[in-house]
């Protein structure tokens, strides 16, 4: 491993500068990561809500290594080891009927848009302000943030944005050609924005009246992040289509589409070379087992964050924590890193904490002490 300055120069020369970054992490274990200088951090970013089982969980690492010795890839021309088993587990925990795998969250969104169009025969979508659904052409079309979307317009999908939480606006926006309404149960990239349950009951009602499908993006909130397998399970509402990705396979690239009975792709309607391959499914199955074990502890861990940070009025659901910091957000992020805690600024000066679900109470306490110190 070269030193960080050499590496920075190498990147500047050969890698497209789409990211701004400071640290170089080289190793992880549980909720700890180490940088190239050997400095240790408590990781409340977890690869942006991806490493829910912690870094290099032994069960996940073992599953990947063992599968890599047996069969790395075979394509979807053949039955794929682990694929149907993982589909069964996800479907059973979420109350949906069938699954279809992808390689990322954005691809899961694209799949959801395709499924909604092909099964409803309708064309249009309604999405919400501050929502994030991915950066492919299709998923970007339903992503709100103008700064990342507008340079790429036109995106070729008829879509209306409605204010997040505004049911009257939604009612006006949905019509007889609306294929689906796409919504995050909690807006993650926007900074952990939690609407009332009645918002989802209202969306369900409007979808039922109009025949549009309710598409719930659980890419960030799913897989136990909020203390249930899906965040929408905190409400009584059952969606038509759900997307998963981030936490699904502990960092092995994977996404999934889940749909209720009667909603499925038919022969030839969708596909992917890599998606739901043997390695991803092995990682996903091992991840599922770890999450199943740790899930009961997630709500109390979230409450531990809430109690420790109460003076900052945090928004908390399970291990998804948002704090409005404002202009100082980047500075707070930097000060936390200096003191050995990784946190991340989401949109609009909102600090976001999405640590591994396996984080310990002692690690939570340490992270909160550092964070409070940085917040002042
Ligand atoms: C991260 C995210 C996506 C996009 O996932 P990628 O794997 O980066 O394509 C989509 N929706 C939500 C809610 C996300 O948080």
């Amino acid at each position: 491993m070269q030193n960080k300055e050499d590496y920075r120069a190498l990147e500047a020369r050969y890698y497209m500068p789409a990211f701004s970054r400071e640290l170089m992490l080289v190793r992880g274990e549980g909720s700890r990561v180490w940088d190239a200088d050997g400095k240790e951090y408590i990781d409340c970013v977890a690869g942006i809500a991806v490493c829910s089982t912690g870094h290099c969980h032994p069960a996940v690492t073992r599953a990947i290594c063992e599968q890599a010795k047996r069969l790395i890839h075979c394509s979807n021309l053949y039955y794929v080891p682990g694929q149907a088993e993982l589909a069964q587990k996800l479907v059973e925990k979420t109350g949906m009927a069938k699954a279809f795998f992808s390689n990322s969250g954005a691809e899961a969104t694209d799949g959801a848009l395709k499924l909604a169009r092909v099964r409803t025969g309708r064309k249009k979508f309604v999405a919400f302000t501050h929502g994030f659904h991915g950066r492919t052409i299709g998923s970007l079309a339903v992503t709100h943030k103008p700064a990342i979307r507008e340079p790429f317009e036109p995106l070729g999908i008829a879509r209306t944005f409605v204010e997040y939480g505004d049911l009257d606006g939604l009612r006006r926006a949905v019509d007889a050609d609306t294929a689906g309404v796409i919504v995050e149960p909690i807006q993650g990239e926007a900074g952990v924005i939690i609407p009332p349950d009645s918002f989802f009951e209202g969306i369900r009602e409007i979808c039922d009246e109009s025949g549009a499908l309710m598409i719930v993006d659980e890419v960030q909130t799913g897989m136990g992040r909020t203390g249930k397998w899906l965040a929408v399970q905190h409400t009584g509402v059952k969606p038509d289509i759900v997307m998963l990705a981030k936490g699904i396979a502990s960092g092995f690239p994977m996404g999934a589409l889940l749909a209720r009975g009667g909603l499925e792709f038919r022969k030839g309607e969708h596909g992917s070379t890599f998606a739901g391959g043997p390695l991803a499914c092995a990682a996903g199955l091992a991840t599922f087992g770890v999450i199943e074990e740790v899930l009961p502890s997630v709500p109390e861990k979230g409450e531990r964050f809430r109690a420790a940070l109460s003076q900052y009025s945090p928004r908390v659901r399970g291990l998804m924590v948002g704090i409005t910091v404002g202009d100082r957000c980047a500075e707070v992020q930097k000060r936390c890193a200096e003191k050995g805690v990784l946190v991340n600024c989401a949109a609009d000066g909102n600090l976001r904490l999405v640590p591994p679900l396996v984080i310990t109470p002692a690690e939570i306490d340490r992270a909160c002490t550092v964070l409070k110190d940085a917040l002042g």
Side-chain angles (χ1 to χ4, degrees):
M1 178 68 60
Q2 315 158 68
N3 76 44
K4 201 168 87 182
E5 289 318 311
D6 290 349
Y7 199 80
R8 201 196 301 277
L10 193 71
E11 195 213 58
R13 173 132 193 219
Y14 292 109
Y15 204 74
M16 297 188 191
F19 302 103
S20 65
R21 40 198 177 192
E22 271 301 315
L23 298 178
M24 179 172 186
L25 304 177
V26 294
R27 188 164 73 84
E29 188 183 325
S31 301
R32 312 290 175 104
V33 285
W34 287 266
D35 70 14
D37 303 322
K39 183 176 158 82
E40 181 182 307
Y41 304 84
I42 295 175
D43 186 5
C44 292
V45 178
I48 318 185
V50 167
C51 311
S52 288
T53 59
H55 293 277
C56 305
H57 190 289
V60 175
T61 299
R62 193 182 319 120
I64 291 172
C65 291
E66 283 176 6
Q67 186 58 48
K69 290 180 207 162
R70 280 196 300 271
L71 183 69
I72 291 176
H73 178 75
C74 59
S75 92
N76 282 303
L77 296 173
Y78 309 99
Y79 288 111
V80 179
Q83 198 179 72
E85 289 99 315
L86 183 57
Q88 178 189 15
K89 286 179 189 295
L90 295 173
V91 155
E92 284 176 356
K93 292 295 184 191
T94 58
M96 304 303 280
K98 286 194 180 172
F100 197 85
F101 293 116
S102 64
N103 301 293
S104 68
E107 253 188 67
T109 300
D110 284 355
L113 301 180
K114 283 180 69 178
L115 184 60
R117 274 192 169 173
V118 76
R119 289 289 79 85
T120 63
R122 301 173 175 197
K123 296 282 174 268
K124 301 193 300 194
F125 293 91
V126 180
F128 293 96
T129 54
H130 309 289
F132 184 85
H133 302 291
R135 289 175 180 262
T136 59
I137 294 281
S139 61
L140 191 58
V142 288
T143 288
H144 177 251
K145 194 175 186 179
I148 66 169
R149 174 176 41 81
E150 281 176 353
F152 304 98
E153 296 276 8
L155 293 162
I157 290 182
R159 149 278 295 147
T160 313
F161 290 113
V162 170
E163 193 70 36
Y164 193 56
D166 178 9
L167 287 170
D168 291 331
L170 180 63
R171 210 176 291 277
R172 284 193 299 273
V174 169
D175 67 25
D177 196 31
T178 304
V181 175
I182 183 167
V183 63
E184 290 165 88
I186 296 172
Q187 289 189 326
E189 297 307 297
V192 188
I193 311 301
I194 310 178
D197 290 355
S198 57
F199 181 43
F200 300 96
E201 290 154 16
I203 295 173
R204 182 70 272 176
E205 205 179 285
I206 291 167
C207 285
D208 286 342
E209 285 164 9
S210 66
L213 300 180
M214 180 173 181
I215 303 169
V216 175
D217 183 346
E218 297 256 9
V219 167
Q220 191 160 154
T221 52
M223 297 307 292
R225 171 58 51 194
T226 69
K228 292 188 186 283
W229 284 95
L230 301 178
V232 76
Q233 288 173 323
H234 291 282
T235 77
V237 171
K238 225 182 129 178
D240 298 301
I241 300 175
V242 169
M243 293 92 82
L244 296 169
K246 291 191 166 84
I248 199 172
S250 298
F252 198 95
M254 186 176 216
L257 192 62
L258 307 174
R260 66 158 165 76
L263 273 181
E264 56 190 44
F265 285 120
R266 297 174 191 158
K267 225 169 273 303
E269 284 179 343
H270 197 39
S272 163
T273 299
F274 293 119
L279 271 181
C281 290
L285 282 166
T287 298
F288 186 95
V290 176
I291 293 177
E292 201 167 30
E293 248 170 58
V294 75
L295 190 56
S297 75
V298 171
E300 70 195 56
K301 287 176 181 174
E303 291 315 306
R304 201 174 183 93
F305 272 106
R306 191 198 300 277
L309 301 170
S310 60
Q311 71 207 83
Y312 304 103
S313 313
R315 300 178 293 280
V316 180
R317 189 154 280 174
L319 283 171
M320 202 163 173
V321 179
I323 301 172
T324 301
V325 175
D327 294 344
R328 292 176 52 234
C329 202
E331 180 199 324
V332 170
Q333 175 183 312
K334 189 154 178 271
R335 286 172 69 174
C336 285
E338 280 164 12
K339 296 264 174 59
V341 174
L342 299 183
V343 297
N344 156 255
C345 290
D348 303 325
N350 286 307
L351 209 60
R352 169 178 51 182
L353 282 69
V354 281
L357 306 185
V358 298
I359 192 168
T360 65
E363 288 166 334
I364 294 173
D365 295 348
R366 171 83 192 125
C368 289
T369 301
V370 166
L371 182 55
K372 279 173 14 187
D373 195 43
L375 285 163

